[in-house]
Amino acid sequence: MAYVNDLMERVVKRNPGEPEFHQAVHEVLESLEPVIQRHPDYITSGVLERMVEPERQIIFRVPWVNDAGEVVVNRGFRVQFNSAIGPYKGGLRFHPSVYIGIIKFLGFEQIFKNALTGLPMGGAKGGSDFDPRGKSDGEIMRFCQSFVTELYRYIGPDTDVPAGDIGVGGREIGYLFGQYKRIVNAFSGVLTGKGTTWGGSLARPEATGYGAMYFVEEMLASRGDSVQGKTITISGYGNVGTYLIEKANQMGGKVVTIGDEYGYVRDPEGIKGEKLDFLMDLWCVYRRPAQDYAREFGLEWVEGCSPWEVPCDIAIPTATQNEVALADAQKLVANGCLCVAEAANMPCMADAVNYFLEKGILFGPAKAVNAGGVAVSGLEMSQNSMRYAWTFEEVDSRLKGIMKEIHRKSSEAAKEYGLGNNLVAGANIAGFLKVADAMKAQGVV
Ligand code: GLU
């Protein structure tokens, strides 16, 4: 479609050297072609042009002092992409690969993901090229304090509510929150993922992993199947991966791999019991490599390969962007994999996604599959506004309801536009329509 091609060209030209951002925008624009054809007013109102341009981008210096007494300078980012349906909302990523293109791709995806949850949250993302690996507690604290000393002026409980992402968990949220509270002299719901004794929601740590499994169960149910008895491969073993394993076990599935950038370990008996207890702390507490799991339990370590070569029924990438290439997708399909669900953000490369769709694999896109994390963040905001705390069961049952709804909305949108069971397009369309209609209603702003 000429309009979409032309807009995509302008996005590439205007945002040079940001391939991840181009990839994320391309996927959404492609999905929207049938919508724009049916409703040309989305062109005339300039909604798409506005949507691909962040409302605000903040880049700042983060100076801090390491344990050796040396001054270190990192770069901080916050991209406030879209506030049409609520305050900006999205995580912070601390990882050496972070640059503006990564934060823009994540912020762009967050717009649609947050809309899909049905909760009033706009889209944003932030972070830093700071590498938390090998840093002491004191260094992490001083970095977080410096980061928020600049960021505080742009965020707030009704403006922008950051949370965690890769490299940012409960400990980092604590240091960020403490410094923010000290600066503004107010105890507020400015961050989510807080500890439960100081405004956090029960079930927030579990939310992304649990939510992903609730979504997978819905996908399988659409084909009269279930997680019971299925063999599952995953990659990352941080906050998302570990709780995903816990829920998969409860559902009667068996998770047989974890991996990292160096290789993977295969555990044919399944990761459960004391092995899962060990894994829970491996990254989230100690930031240790996956090979430690193989060593601890006498399992084989496969260096330099990815877990996608292991035969499975369900593959769930849980690490990072572009971790599943076309060759991996081909191996998965050849080995009889029937369902792929993206629990990380944009883990499958575009040609891998197309391959899965072509082969009729049940494919769950990240914006839908991993929306459980931000959904419970939204519930944390609600609880903070009420100055109240729900029980674990209350939050978990709302999460389950939200994931079911996301699946229903995505598959209905795909059907309505004649796209069969294409949940990639369905999720993009359902998320887009909510935000686009809000933008139209609010005029050209
Ligand atoms: N970083 C998570 C995501 O990718 C959670 C964001 C949040 O809770 O605000 O959706």
Side-chain angles (χ1 to χ4, degrees):
M1 191 186 183
Y3 175 79
V4 163
N5 293 343
D6 180 56
L7 180 56
M8 192 61 226
E9 245 172 59
R10 276 182 282 151
V11 168
V12 172
K13 216 167 168 184
R14 217 181 201 182
N15 304 276
E18 298 175 4
E20 299 85 1
F21 179 53
H22 304 161
Q23 185 183 338
V25 173
H26 186 261
E27 184 207 279
V28 170
L29 291 183
E30 204 177 29
S31 304
L32 294 177
E33 284 188 8
V35 181
I36 311 167
Q37 243 144 20
R38 204 183 288 180
H39 305 283
D41 45 313
Y42 289 125
I43 300 181
T44 47
S45 57
V47 157
L48 285 155
E49 263 93 345
R50 286 186 279 150
M51 228 179 235
V52 297
E53 182 71 16
E55 288 177 20
R56 189 174 297 111
Q57 304 183 54
I58 304 141
I59 303 183
F60 51 100
R61 180 171 69 195
V62 190
W64 56 283
V65 179
N66 70 14
D67 287 347
E70 296 154 350
V71 175
V72 185
V73 176
N74 283 103
R75 189 171 282 179
F77 303 89
R78 186 73 180 165
V79 172
Q80 299 177 331
F81 228 113
N82 193 300
S83 61
I85 63 166
Y88 304 111
K89 181 82 194 89
L92 298 171
R93 176 176 291 192
F94 292 170
H95 191 270
S97 66
V98 164
Y99 76 107
I100 189 69
I102 293 276
I103 301 299
K104 274 161 74 177
F105 117 65
L106 290 163
F108 184 72
E109 299 247 305
Q110 204 82 41
I111 304 171
F112 307 95
K113 184 196 304 192
N114 294 2
L116 282 170
T117 66
L119 300 170
M121 299 182 287
K125 204 83 184 193
S128 174
D129 57 2
F130 172 75
D131 187 357
R133 265 179 300 194
K135 301 289 189 299
S136 71
D137 237 24
E139 289 178 318
I140 302 261
M141 182 180 76
R142 290 194 294 281
F143 174 81
C144 288
Q145 289 175 339
S146 179
F147 185 86
V148 95
T149 299
E150 179 57 30
L151 185 68
Y152 90 93
R153 61 191 90 244
Y154 304 104
I155 61 176
D158 297 315
T159 312
D160 183 355
V161 182
D165 195 81
I166 295 172
V168 178
R171 173 181 54 169
E172 290 75 18
I173 294 293
Y175 295 145
L176 295 164
F177 181 79
Q179 181 74 350
Y180 180 88
K181 177 165 65 71
R182 188 179 183 200
I183 296 171
V184 303
N185 191 28
F187 195 106
S188 70
V190 68
L191 291 147
T192 59
K194 301 186 289 297
T196 48
T197 56
W198 40 281
S201 174
L202 287 163
R204 176 63 187 87
E206 291 84 352
T208 314
Y210 277 26
M213 285 313 299
Y214 293 144
F215 194 88
V216 168
E217 192 72 307
E218 286 301 303
M219 287 166 75
L220 291 168
S222 74
R223 289 199 183 164
D225 206 345
S226 80
V227 172
Q228 175 69 40
K230 298 286 185 298
T231 297
I232 304 167
T233 52
I234 73 164
S235 45
Y237 53 99
N239 167 261
V240 179
T242 49
Y243 286 109
L244 186 141
I245 298 174
E246 184 170 273
K247 184 52 74 180
N249 291 343
Q250 287 169 16
M251 290 175 163
K254 184 166 83 169
V255 179
V256 297
T257 62
I258 52 151
D260 59 21
E261 65 222 84
Y262 309 108
Y264 74 90
V265 50
R266 183 174 181 189
D267 187 347
E269 300 302 313
I271 300 168
K272 42 178 74 109
E274 53 150 356
K275 289 190 285 185
L276 180 55
D277 294 342
F278 176 87
L279 189 69
M280 283 270 173
D281 289 346
L282 195 59
W283 175 257
C284 292
V285 178
Y286 303 114
R287 309 246 182 250
R288 299 289 311 157
Q291 195 171 1
D292 281 18
Y293 182 91
R295 276 200 205 103
E296 180 76 14
F297 300 109
L299 295 158
E300 190 199 351
W301 170 253
V302 187
E303 181 80 22
C305 298
S306 78
W308 317 126
E309 63 186 25
V310 174
C312 66
D313 304 306
I314 307 170
I316 312 182
T318 47
T320 195
Q321 67 274 355
N322 293 328
E323 56 168 313
V324 180
L326 177 60
D328 299 313
Q330 286 164 337
K331 271 183 225 158
L332 282 165
V333 174
N335 284 333
C337 175
L338 52 100
C339 172
V340 176
E342 296 187 308
N345 286 313
M346 204 168 77
C348 298
M349 292 180 181
D351 47 6
V353 176
N354 291 336
Y355 186 76
F356 290 132
L357 293 175
E358 260 168 43
K359 294 288 169 190
I361 302 295
L362 272 177
F363 184 81
K367 295 181 193 82
V369 175
N370 75 32
V374 75
V376 174
S377 277
L379 299 179
E380 183 169 328
M381 291 167 72
S382 306
Q383 293 169 80
N384 290 164
S385 299
M386 290 190 289
R387 297 192 189 282
Y388 190 69
W390 290 320
T391 61
F392 186 96
E393 290 70 28
E394 170 90 52
V395 179
D396 188 37
S397 87
R398 284 176 194 268
L399 168 65
K400 204 175 196 168
I402 289 171
M403 298 313 295
K404 253 178 142 75
E405 263 304 286
I406 294 177
H407 183 267
R408 187 191 60 77
K409 283 187 263 191
S410 306
S411 52
E412 277 178 9
K415 286 199 183 77
E416 190 181 335
Y417 284 91
L419 301 163
N421 198 30
N422 181 342
L423 294 176
V424 178
N428 286 337
I429 292 170
F432 168 80
L433 289 174
K434 181 169 179 188
V435 178
D437 291 339
M439 287 174 75
K440 274 172 61 189
Q442 292 170 33
V444 179
V445 288

